[in-house]
Amino acid sequence: MHQPESVIPQNNRQAIFGYLFVLLGAFGFSAKAVLVKLAYSYSHQLDAITLMVLRMAISLPFFLVVALWSANDSAKTNDAQRLNRQDWLMIFGLGLLGYYIASFLDFAGLQYISAGLERLIIFLYPTFVVLFTAALQRRAINRHQAVALALSYAGMMLVFADNRAMASSGLLLGSALVFCSAVAFAFFLMGSGMMVKRIGSTRFTAYSMTVACLATGLHFVIQHGVKLLNLPADVYWLALIMAIFSTVLPAFLMNAGIRRIGAGSASIISSIGPIGTLALAFVLLGETLTAAQLAGTALVLIGVYVVSRAKS
């Protein structure tokens, strides 16, 4: 009788840590949009790729350390031998798609739309996964999924209409860019499942993020050349905060949380993300909170919750 009594508290402790890790990871990811908007406000010359390269340059050493540690650990267990040429091509392609292309489109879109609207559009990616998976597998969407999708997109249109009523400049362009970012991230998730099972989530994240960091640096050099950046000190501080607290830590916290509580529970807890973004945007950016925005956000969260439950 003694052994079960010691196991149960340990399981409870693991679950508590899992919930905490996912909550912190979701909050870190949600803060990114607000930090990007703050950085843009400090310098009108700052563009998406410049801010991205600052974020990635600071993040890269962390991911390289984890990548080298993972490769060394895998070599000791003869795990690295299982990575063939096709595996590396998958890692390269998914890293470009999920962490470079999707991120660039997101950063570019944030030049035109509010942080709250951006987070809601991005948060629709689980619904895109459902739609694309159904299309690829040629199967119908069930009634629960159809209702969830209708709720999500109705909420999105409500928030979009509210922003349009406020005559936001570049609303259509910014929303389209972020929408494409969410679509790219949905495809990334669909393709990354196999690689995560094959090499583990930590190793995959480290490798694919390293690819994205290098691609971002190449993009910057092609667009701006090799030159020293002359930006306000506040931009560099925000890039540092973004790299550590909205990139590196959330990525590994989310992975650690999912290992402890599962993807289904993690996706539900992650719904705090848009709410956190709205709160931070209200406090730090002075973005307005209207009844239409709150109602639209609630519809999106309910829809995504239903879809996530159905998937899990």
Side-chain angles (χ1 to χ4, degrees), residues 249-273:
L249 287 179
F252 293 115
L253 282 171
M254 196 65 74
N255 286 332
I258 289 172
R259 283 200 302 271
R260 286 166 172 80
I261 63 175
S265 297
S267 66
I268 295 169
I269 297 170
S270 296
S271 63
I272 193 69

Side-chain angles (χ1 to χ4, degrees), residues 28-235:
F29 281 133
S30 69
K32 185 201 69 178
V34 176
L35 294 171
V36 170
K37 295 292 287 185
L38 279 173
Y40 285 148
S41 70
Y42 282 114
S43 175
H44 297 296
Q45 286 77 36
L46 186 64
D47 60 4
I49 193 60
T50 301
L51 186 55
M52 264 187 70
V53 83
L54 287 174
R55 173 203 186 197
M56 292 301 199
I58 298 169
S59 304
L60 180 59
F62 295 97
F63 289 114
L64 282 176
V65 168
V66 175
L68 291 172
W69 172 80
S70 299
N72 184 57
D73 189 58
S74 299
K76 290 179 181 178
T77 59
N78 294 322
D79 215 16
Q81 294 178 2
R82 293 188 296 172
L83 282 181
N84 53 39
R85 183 179 178 183
Q86 185 177 356
D87 293 329
W88 287 112
L89 287 174
M90 282 287 290
I91 291 171
F92 183 79
L94 290 170
L96 289 179
L97 180 63
Y99 296 127
Y100 163 63
I101 295 174
S103 292
F104 176 72
L105 291 170
D106 186 38
F107 274 58
L110 277 166
Q111 293 177 296
Y112 305 101
I113 64 174
S114 67
L117 178 58
E118 177 269 354
R119 189 48 35 183
L120 275 188
I121 298 174
I122 288 292
F123 199 65
L124 290 174
Y125 72 84
T127 69
F128 300 151
V129 172
V130 170
L131 288 171
F132 299 150
T133 301
L136 290 172
Q137 295 180 357
R138 296 183 179 180
R139 59 176 173 80
I141 295 172
N142 62 44
R143 187 175 301 176
H144 271 82
Q145 291 174 327
V147 171
L149 294 173
L151 287 173
S152 298
Y153 298 139
M156 188 67 261
M157 293 306 298
L158 185 60
V159 175
F160 182 84
D162 188 65
N163 277 261
R164 193 167 188 178
M166 292 186 288
S168 176
S169 177
L171 177 64
L172 287 174
L173 175 59
S175 298
L177 288 168
V178 176
F179 181 86
C180 291
S181 172
V183 169
F185 191 70
F187 277 117
F188 163 78
L189 286 179
M190 292 170 64
S192 62
M194 181 182 68
M195 291 307 301
V196 168
K197 290 180 182 178
R198 187 166 175 79
I199 68 175
S201 58
T202 301
R203 192 175 170 197
F204 173 72
T205 300
Y207 287 2
S208 55
M209 280 296 295
T210 300
V211 169
C213 289
L214 297 175
T216 301
L218 180 61
H219 182 158
F220 176 81
V221 170
I222 292 173
Q223 184 170 333
H224 294 291
V226 181
K227 63 179 181 180
L228 294 176
L229 298 175
N230 185 21
L231 298 168
D234 288 326
V235 173

